């Protein structure tokens, strides 16, 4: 039996508490989980001085680090987790509360009810509220645990659900576009008897974007701030049981390690890094949505482009910091490995180093995964940034072209009548269909000579919106793309196409000119058809058909261009 256990059961005095703190503060050589656990119990139950949550969390973490596990002693393990989660809640570190409780659920398929209830209560105070509003199934399932069907437990469940509604009101008020599964949440409100409550009516009003909710935001925010938890609440050790697993395991040792401050700093930096990575991913998602939602005007596109460009630059700079953090983690692992080699087999030092090394390796793997996820988000943003720049150029060119056409029409230049324009547009669109078919066949014949040509030469050069459509199965062959997409594929694969065709710089310019021709055709019903512009575009299409070896069609289009040139204005 540990000496501290004897002291606890005998009732530790004030002088004993001071002695305990002296023994465990600073560079302690104690490596017994029993000593850390029972010393923590003495402080929690008998310390009459100011409570020190940071010191206590380090003590409890060390009891876990030095061998207290679920298999070692289930009762003491759950007791430690309950105290640790309560202390983290006092400190406002709700993500660490989630880490502790999720680890318990992963270990125990029949975890006590309080584990699930404390878990969902902590979720109400983290970014999990967004997920729980959108898909509340797991949240409501965890909240429903009540093996003994006790009235006190029912009251606790009701209060947690009220916290959820209040947190949801704050989130929805700040994020009007939030997705809410109102049907599932309504069923739960009825089950907990809150359908006529003030909290529920306010929640429904927030979902309906009621203007009255904005005036109550500050009041509601205060209601969901971290609760004041007394030491008596930490002392409550009632253990109950039940249900359900979810795949999530995170390190249980994020606090300062009394025995080794260097590695405790590593733990803290790691948790801060995960938070920053998550924050950046949210920021990127928002920027990407802003870009997609931007209108078709040049001003909107330019503004969205500048905003996303600044975000990408900033996050690329941050990524360098994260890579540096990862390198430091690798160096720390190497240091631990060297210390492990020199440690005696079976010694407490070796056991401690093995635990530290395992934790550091797990964190490194998680850090690599997080960094890769952010890199992927950055890649998508850069892709969209490139597409936005191209769209800006196209929009600017279209604006100039339309402006020129309107100016020419207003200045009295040759413009076809409405009936003439309708006939020309009909013929022009027929030529566009033929051009699209011929270009698809020409590209298929040439690009299929390359290895993995579909992924590299087609999917790999599309813009972001086209890639998404391709992934959704809208494109299986080149014949299914429109002229704009095929022209992009042709332009991006020019060097490859030159290997099997005699193509000149003049031909390349013809391809570039076809982008403008295609845009002019797409907007042919906006401005009056100018005779000179139509003839010029038809001749460009004729030249382009010659480039892709469709000589018969090239001659037919050139012939029609001459007919248009000789038409008399009505």
């Amino acid at each position: 039996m540990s000496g501290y256990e004897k002291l606890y059961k005998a009732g530790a005095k004030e002088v004993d508490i001071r002695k305990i703190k002296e023994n465990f503060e600073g560079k302690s050589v104690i490596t017994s989980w029993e000593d850390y656990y029972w010393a923590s119990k003495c402080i929690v139950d008998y310390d009459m001085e100011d409570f020190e949550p940071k010191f206590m969390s380090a003590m409890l973490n060390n009891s876990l680090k030095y061998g207290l596990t679920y298999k070692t002693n289930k009762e003491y393990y759950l007791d430690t987790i309950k105290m640790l989660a309560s202390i983290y809640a006092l400190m406002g570190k709700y993500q660490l509360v989630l880490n502790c409780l999720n680890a318990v659920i992963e270990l125990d398929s029949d975890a006590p009810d309080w584990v699930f209830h404390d878990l969902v209560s902590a979720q109400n105070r983290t970014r999990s509220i967004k997920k729980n509003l959108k898909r509340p199934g797991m949240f409501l399932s965890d909240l429903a645990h009540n093996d003994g069907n006790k009235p006190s437990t029912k009251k606790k469940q009701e209060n947690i659900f009220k916290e959820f509604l209040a947190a949801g009101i704050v989130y929805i008020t700040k994020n009007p576009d939030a997705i809410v599964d109102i049907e599932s949440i309504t069923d739960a409100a009825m089950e907990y008897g809150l359908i006529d409550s003030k909290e529920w009516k306010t929640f429904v009003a927030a979902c309906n974007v009621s203007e009255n909710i904005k005036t109550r935001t500050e009041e509601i925010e205060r209601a969901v701030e971290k609760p004041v938890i007394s030491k008596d609440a930490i002392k409550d050790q009632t253990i109950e049981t039940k249900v359900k697993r979810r795949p999530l395991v995170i390190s249980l040792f994020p606090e300062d390690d009394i025995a080794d401050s260097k590695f405790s700093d590593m733990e803290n930096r790691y948790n801060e890094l995960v938070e920053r990575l998550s924050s950046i991913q949210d920021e990127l998602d928002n920027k990407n949505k802003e870009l997609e939602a931007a209108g078709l005007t040049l001003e909107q596109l330019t503004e969205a482009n500048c905003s996303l460009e600044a975000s990408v630059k900033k996050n690329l700079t941050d990524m360098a910091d994260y890579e540096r953090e990862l390198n430091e983690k690798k160096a720390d692992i190497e240091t631990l490995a060297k210390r492990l080699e020199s440690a005696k087999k079976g010694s407490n030092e070796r056991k401690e180093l093995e635990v530290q090394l395992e934790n550091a390796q797990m964190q490194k793997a998680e850090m690599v995964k997080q960094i890769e996820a952010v890199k992927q988000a950055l890649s998508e943003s850069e892709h969209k940034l490139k597409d936005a720049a191209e769209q800006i150029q196209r929009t600017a060119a279209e604006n100039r072209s339309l402006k020129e056409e309107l100016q020419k029409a207003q200045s009295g230049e040759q413009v076809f009548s409405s009936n003439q324009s309708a006939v020309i547009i009909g013929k022009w669109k027929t030529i566009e269909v033929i051009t699209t078919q011929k270009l698809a066949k020409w590209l298929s014949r040439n690009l299929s000579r390359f290895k993995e040509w579909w992924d590299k030469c087609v999917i790999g050069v599309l813009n972001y919106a086209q890639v998404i459509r391709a992934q959704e199965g809208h494109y299986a062959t080149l014949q299914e793309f429109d002229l704009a997409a095929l022209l992009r594929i042709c332009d991006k694969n020019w060097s490859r196409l030159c290997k099997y065709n005699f193509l000149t710089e003049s031909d390349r310019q013809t391809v570039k000119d076809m982008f403008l021709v295609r845009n002019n055709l797409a907007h042919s019903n906006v401005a009056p058809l100018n005779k000179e512009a139509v003839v010029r575009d038809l001749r460009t299409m004729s030249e382009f058909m010659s480039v892709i070896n469709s000589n018969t069609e090239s001659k037919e289009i050139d012939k029609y261009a001459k007919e248009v040139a000789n038409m008399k204005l009505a």
Side-chain angles (χ1 to χ4, degrees):
M1 178 183 290
S2 167
Y4 296 102
E5 182 179 358
K6 294 179 182 178
L7 190 61
Y8 174 79
K9 291 181 178 179
K13 303 295 188 293
E14 187 174 345
V15 64
D16 298 322
I17 298 299
R18 284 199 297 269
K19 186 64 175 176
I20 290 173
K21 290 185 177 181
E22 290 174 4
N23 291 342
F24 286 88
E25 285 177 341
K27 291 286 184 178
S28 173
V29 295
I30 297 173
T31 57
S32 166
W33 71 262
E34 291 97 337
D35 288 345
Y36 277 107
Y37 173 76
W38 288 108
S40 299
K41 292 284 288 181
C42 287
I43 295 173
V44 168
D45 284 0
Y46 299 115
D47 186 9
M48 298 296 126
E49 299 179 2
D50 292 337
F51 186 66
E52 302 176 46
K54 192 170 184 180
F55 175 77
M56 281 307 306
S57 62
M59 289 278 289
L60 292 166
N61 268 313
N62 277 341
S63 69
L64 298 170
K65 184 169 292 187
Y66 290 116
L68 176 57
T69 65
Y70 181 80
K71 291 183 179 179
T72 305
N73 191 308
K74 177 179 177 180
E75 179 184 356
Y76 294 165
Y77 177 82
L78 291 175
D79 186 17
T80 299
I81 292 298
K82 189 167 188 177
M83 288 190 289
L84 192 56
S86 298
I87 291 170
Y88 283 148
L90 273 173
M91 299 167 71
K93 297 184 176 182
Y94 292 103
Q95 188 59 50
L96 299 184
V97 177
L98 297 180
N99 291 356
C100 292
L101 300 175
N102 273 313
V104 173
I105 296 171
E106 174 64 21
L107 291 170
D108 188 356
S109 60
D110 195 28
D113 291 347
W114 65 261
V115 175
F116 295 96
H117 296 161
D118 288 358
L119 177 74
V120 293
S121 180
Q123 287 175 355
N124 288 337
R125 294 166 175 84
T126 67
R127 284 192 297 272
S128 299
I129 188 65
K130 175 182 177 181
K131 178 192 69 176
N132 290 341
L133 287 169
K134 184 177 181 180
R135 291 184 292 273
M138 180 62 74
F139 172 86
L140 296 175
S141 175
D142 290 343
L143 181 59
H145 283 74
N146 186 358
D147 268 359
N149 203 26
K150 300 176 181 177
S152 59
T153 305
K154 288 184 177 181
K155 187 63 178 177
K156 182 177 180 180
Q157 291 171 312
E158 180 181 319
N159 289 335
I160 293 174
F161 189 74
K162 287 181 179 179
E163 292 174 0
F164 169 71
L165 295 178
I169 293 167
V170 174
Y171 182 80
I172 295 167
T173 303
K174 292 181 177 179
N175 303 273
D177 296 331
I179 301 175
V180 180
D181 183 355
I182 192 66
E183 292 183 5
S184 298
I185 298 173
T186 301
D187 292 341
M190 294 177 67
E191 181 179 346
Y192 292 115
L194 297 174
I195 205 70
D196 295 322
S197 68
K198 179 177 65 176
E199 291 86 356
W200 175 250
K201 292 178 181 178
T202 307
F203 179 80
V204 172
C207 292
N208 293 331
V209 197
S210 171
E211 292 297 324
N212 295 329
I213 301 304
K214 296 181 180 178
T215 62
R216 302 192 55 203
T217 300
E218 293 183 359
E219 174 187 345
I220 296 164
E221 283 179 327
R222 289 195 296 272
V224 296
E225 286 178 352
K226 63 180 183 181
V228 177
I229 303 177
S230 65
K231 286 173 57 179
D232 291 337
I234 299 173
K235 298 174 187 177
D236 180 14
Q237 307 302 322
T238 303
I239 297 177
E240 301 165 355
T241 46
K242 190 75 186 156
V243 179
K244 203 152 182 159
R245 300 173 63 111
R246 80 275 340 277
L248 176 60
V249 181
I250 305 176
S251 171
L252 284 178
F253 315 118
E255 278 299 304
D256 293 343
D257 182 353
I258 298 175
D260 197 333
S261 60
K262 176 183 176 182
F263 292 103
S264 69
D265 291 339
M266 288 163 39
E267 300 279 3
N268 287 331
R269 291 203 311 270
Y270 167 73
N271 282 287
E272 291 173 1
L273 175 61
V274 172
E275 289 290 326
R276 290 168 66 192
L277 287 170
S278 179
S279 175
I280 283 180
Q281 284 186 280
D282 289 343
E283 182 180 352
L284 284 171
D285 289 341
N286 291 334
K287 291 296 181 183
N288 289 341
K289 288 178 181 178
E290 289 176 12
L291 183 60
E292 291 173 357
L296 299 178
T297 66
L298 185 58
E299 292 78 7
Q300 289 173 315
L301 287 169
T302 303
E303 182 180 353
N305 181 67
C306 292
S307 175
L308 186 58
E309 185 177 20
S311 175
V312 168
K313 287 180 179 179
K314 173 183 176 298
N315 291 318
L316 283 173
T317 301
D318 288 342
M319 281 304 304
D321 294 335
Y322 304 150
E323 294 286 0
R324 187 162 51 252
E325 291 275 1
L326 181 59
N327 291 333
E328 290 180 9
K329 177 65 71 175
K330 292 177 181 177
D332 292 334
I333 289 175
E334 291 176 2
T335 301
L336 282 171
K338 290 178 181 178
R339 290 175 60 186
L340 185 61
E341 289 177 2
S342 61
K344 292 182 180 181
K345 292 184 178 179
S347 66
N348 288 331
E349 181 187 5
R350 186 177 183 87
K351 292 178 181 179
E352 175 189 348
L353 289 171
E354 287 175 347
V355 172
Q356 291 177 352
L357 181 59
E358 182 181 357
N359 289 336
Q361 288 172 338
M362 289 174 59
Q363 292 168 1
K364 173 191 167 187
E366 184 67 22
M367 194 180 298
V368 170
K369 190 187 300 182
Q370 290 279 357
I371 289 175
E372 287 302 318
V374 174
K375 282 183 177 179
Q376 178 63 28
L378 281 170
S379 176
E380 291 182 6
S381 291
E382 289 172 335
H383 201 158
K384 289 188 175 185
L385 184 62
K386 184 178 179 181
D387 292 344
E390 292 178 359
Q391 188 174 357
I392 287 172
Q393 292 178 350
R394 290 195 299 271
T395 303
E398 291 170 7
N399 287 349
R400 287 195 298 271
S401 176
L402 288 173
K403 187 175 181 180
E404 290 173 1
E405 294 296 331
L406 288 170
Q407 288 176 344
K408 289 179 181 179
Q410 291 170 357
S411 64
E413 293 193 17
Q414 293 183 325
V415 178
F416 289 111
S417 67
S418 298
N419 290 336
Q420 287 175 316
S421 295
V423 173
I424 293 171
I425 290 173
K427 180 70 173 180
W428 200 358
K429 289 189 179 293
T430 300
I431 294 173
E432 180 191 25
V433 173
I434 296 172
T435 303
T436 302
Q437 294 171 347
K438 292 293 182 180
L439 177 56
K441 290 180 181 179
W442 185 74
L443 288 173
S444 180
R445 183 169 61 252
N446 285 278
L447 295 179
S448 61
R449 302 181 186 191
F450 298 93
K451 292 182 179 180
E452 300 179 3
W453 70 278
W454 180 259
D455 290 333
K456 292 181 179 179
C457 305
V458 180
I459 303 300
V461 302
L462 298 176
N463 62 34
Y464 183 77
Q466 292 167 340
V467 169
I468 296 301
R469 286 182 60 79
Q471 291 174 344
E472 292 174 350
H474 293 284
Y475 305 127
T477 64
L478 286 173
Q479 282 71 22
E480 294 174 357
F481 288 96
D482 61 13
L483 181 58
L486 292 173
L487 288 172
R488 181 186 177 91
I489 294 169
C490 180
D491 183 55
K492 297 294 183 181
N493 287 284
W494 190 255
S495 59
R496 293 188 176 97
L497 295 170
C498 287
K499 291 184 178 180
Y500 297 101
N501 299 273
F502 180 71
L503 300 171
T504 65
E505 283 301 315
S506 176
D507 295 333
R508 182 70 183 276
Q509 186 57 48
T510 299
V511 173
K512 299 284 188 185
D513 293 341
M514 276 297 295
F515 282 100
L516 185 56
V517 172
R518 184 265 168 193
N519 289 335
N520 289 343
L521 180 58
H523 296 89
S524 57
N525 58 342
V526 175
L529 284 183
N530 178 273
K531 185 176 184 179
E532 181 181 350
V534 172
V535 172
R536 182 180 63 246
D537 287 347
L538 287 170
R539 286 174 177 166
T540 298
M541 296 182 81
S542 174
E543 292 171 6
F544 178 73
M545 294 295 269
S546 179
V547 170
I548 61 175
N549 300 326
S550 297
N551 295 321
T552 301
E553 288 76 10
S554 175
K555 292 177 182 179
E556 290 295 326
I557 296 172
D558 184 62
K559 180 179 178 181
Y560 183 66
K562 292 177 180 178
E563 290 181 13
V564 173
N566 293 327
M567 281 184 183
K568 293 183 179 180
L569 301 177

